Amino acid sequence: MIRLAACLLILLTSCSPTADVTLPDDAIATKDLQSGSAFLTEETRALQEDDFENPGLLWVERGADLFVDTSASSKSCADCHDEQLKGVAASYPQLDELSAELVNLEKRINLCRARHQDLPELTYESDDLLALTAYVANQSHGAPITVAVTEETRASYEAGEAYFYTPRGQFNLACNQCHNENWGKKLRGDTISQGHGNGFPAYRYEWQSFGSLHRRLHDCDTGVRAEPFTLGSQTYIDLEYYLAVRANGLPVESPAIRR
Amino acid sequence: MAVTVVSLSACENARTDTLIQSSQIQDDALPEPLIDIEGEAKEGEQIFDSRDAGHCVLCHQINGLDVEFQGDVGPELTGVGARLTPGQIRLRIVDYQRVQPGVTMPSYYRIHDLNQVGEEFEGQPVLTAEQIEHLVAFLSDQKG
């Protein structure tokens, strides 16, 4: 395990960029940023925007129920958070001051359960964790992503950036080769998107269900025939963080629909 | 809704043994066949199209091919046989990154210096030498 961690560390630091958060040469200019929904068909975009037909709303509704649920704990989420979660998801991932760790929404929800509700962690990718995440994310629907890099989070940002730019797998492809250099082009009938996470958790046609950004990252890794990381792993949280900073300004769209 | 979660078991598998030697490369070409067979264009077309084989149509297009939706990430290959020699085509499939570092085109006959390769693919090239010879024959036949 230690060897594995050391190996991972080498992997992630071997091509770290310089300390400043300067955008790399091939980065997409802010004015050219486009959400994944820009690459959908008109019909799918309409479905995403339909407050009755979007299938992701089933998870949002389930999340709303769980948010006020007190059957397993003396305190529900709503007992602490009333209207205060509007816009919050737009600033995630962010630093958890107590543990000094970078956390995403899913991890924040599980930390809340442990610290304030005396409840066990929800399994990553479980319907309940997806539902609560979608419910919280949906309260920021339309809010621009605003994720900052601070001295405390710089290492995570750099780790995520290194992951984005490191070729991997049997196909030896890095994220930037598709999502910075070739977005808008066609892979057979599909248009390559810019690879933003602002729609997740999202309903994905390929899954025929609702899933997290980490599940999507897992699919990208297996797509280039790389050994994927575990959903909820720090590696994917760091990458999620890098992607969020890269997408700053795009609106939160969860629950989005994606191919 | 279960998702298979595979934990990381091999984060760096940088094998250094190579399937082809630098001495086999002349400029941007690999003139000698990988194995001693006569490549068949018909087989090559199948490999070019098939999702289970090369699936080259994911990124490349050839006019007149009987395939729905061909990609455009890589260069169009209509008439490629008139532009490139079989040896040039071979190296572009085998390991173009040897002579064009950073090129997006994956290397289809390479096992060295790769990172985080999925366990089930470790130590194997994407295509066999035989499949590549069929592809070279098919693409060399594309005279425009």
Side-chain angles (χ1 to χ4, degrees):
Chain A
M1 196 62 207
I2 289 169
R3 225 177 96 198
L4 187 107
C7 182
L8 184 61
L9 200 67
I10 291 162
L11 174 72
L12 293 178
T13 55
S14 60
C15 61
S16 281
T18 52
D20 285 335
V21 180
T22 44
L23 293 175
D25 289 346
D26 71 343
I28 301 166
T30 307
K31 66 173 176 52
D32 295 329
L33 287 179
Q34 287 185 51
S35 168
S37 52
F39 303 92
L40 301 173
T41 62
E42 205 57 59
E43 296 75 44
T44 306
R45 238 188 335 266
L47 186 63
Q48 176 179 304
E49 279 151 27
D50 191 316
D51 287 344
F52 296 97
E53 297 295 324
N54 180 337
L57 291 167
L58 292 173
W59 278 263
V60 174
E61 282 166 24
R62 178 174 177 152
D65 291 342
L66 290 170
F67 204 77
V68 296
D69 182 45
T70 50
S71 61
S73 164
S74 57
K75 260 201 284 191
S76 77
C77 308
D79 285 336
C80 293
H81 305 286
D82 187 8
E83 291 276 307
Q84 308 160 29
L85 293 179
K86 282 199 192 315
V88 167
S91 63
Y92 270 78
Q94 62 174 235
L95 194 74
D96 170 52
E97 301 283 348
L98 212 59
S99 64
E101 273 180 20
L102 185 78
V103 298
N104 61 0
L105 269 187
E106 286 88 341
K107 196 148 182 187
R108 167 62 68 206
I109 289 165
N110 269 331
L111 283 177
C112 266
R113 289 170 64 85
R115 287 173 186 167
H116 307 300
Q117 295 176 294
D118 200 23
L119 289 172
E121 268 196 11
L122 292 169
T123 308
Y124 216 93
E125 218 56 28
S126 62
D127 272 333
D128 281 359
L129 186 55
L130 285 170
L132 277 167
T133 308
Y135 175 67
V136 174
N138 188 233
Q139 291 180 57
S140 298
H141 199 271
I145 294 177
T146 316
V147 174
V149 180
T150 65
E151 283 314 309
E152 290 80 14
T153 61
R154 186 176 299 274
S156 283
Y157 174 85
E158 290 178 0
E161 183 182 50
Y163 199 89
F164 191 81
Y165 281 93
T166 303
R168 56 176 42 78
Q170 195 189 32
F171 288 127
N172 206 34
L173 286 167
C175 314
N176 69 300
Q177 289 180 289
C178 280
H179 299 293
N180 278 4
E181 295 172 9
N182 286 297
W183 64 268
K185 291 191 182 165
K186 295 276 188 189
L187 286 174
R188 295 204 70 171
D190 287 337
T191 310
I192 300 176
S193 77
Q194 294 182 350
H196 299 301
N198 60 318
F200 286 84
Y203 186 91
R204 192 163 178 237
Y205 287 137
E206 190 173 312
W207 299 331
Q208 294 283 301
S209 78
F210 198 68
S212 69
L213 178 63
H214 289 200
R215 184 174 174 191
R216 185 67 191 86
L217 299 175
H218 176 282
D219 284 7
C220 264
D221 275 343
T222 52
V224 299
R225 299 188 176 176
E227 193 65 26
F229 281 76
T230 307
L231 310 192
S233 63
Q234 201 61 43
T235 299
Y236 278 167
I237 292 179
D238 290 346
L239 179 57
E240 178 178 354
Y241 183 51
Y242 175 72
L243 293 177
V245 174
R246 180 176 171 268
N248 264 333
L250 284 181
V252 174
E253 272 179 28
S254 180
I257 302 179
R258 295 290 182 262
R259 284 190 315 261
Chain B
M1 195 156 293
V3 174
T4 314
V5 178
V6 185
S7 65
L8 178 77
S9 60
C11 59
E12 185 96 41
N13 23 25
R15 297 178 59 137
T16 51
D17 42 339
T18 58
L19 292 176
I20 58 160
Q21 307 306 318
S22 298
S23 58
Q24 293 172 260
I25 301 173
Q26 291 175 17
D27 298 325
D28 69 338
L30 191 61
E32 293 302 316
L34 298 173
I35 52 163
D36 191 18
I37 62 152
E38 193 76 37
E40 287 176 34
K42 220 170 170 48
E43 295 279 337
E45 181 172 352
Q46 169 75 17
I47 293 158
F48 193 86
D49 296 353
S50 168
R51 185 179 284 273
D52 300 325
H55 204 212
C56 313
V57 288
L58 189 65
C59 295
H60 297 282
Q61 194 190 333
I62 291 180
N63 285 346
L65 214 59
D66 185 23
V67 177
E68 199 186 15
F69 301 125
Q70 302 182 50
D72 65 359
V73 176
E76 186 183 330
L77 298 179
T78 309
V80 67
R83 297 193 298 273
L84 299 175
T85 64
Q88 288 175 312
I89 293 171
R90 186 177 291 108
L91 185 61
R92 279 157 178 74
I93 302 168
V94 165
D95 194 1
Y96 199 32
Q97 293 172 14
R98 289 267 194 122
V99 293
Q100 285 283 329
V103 72
T104 303
M105 174 71 182
S107 301
Y108 284 82
Y109 195 65
R110 164 179 170 178
I111 54 171
H112 69 282
D113 286 341
L114 297 171
N115 163 48
Q116 202 184 317
V117 174
E119 220 172 323
E120 60 187 302
F121 303 107
E122 218 178 316
Q124 314 160 41
V126 183
L127 295 174
T128 65
E130 195 176 336
Q131 285 176 311
I132 288 171
E133 289 310 317
H134 292 320
L135 270 178
V136 171
F138 169 65
L139 293 169
S140 299
D141 264 8
Q142 304 302 309
K143 301 292 189 190

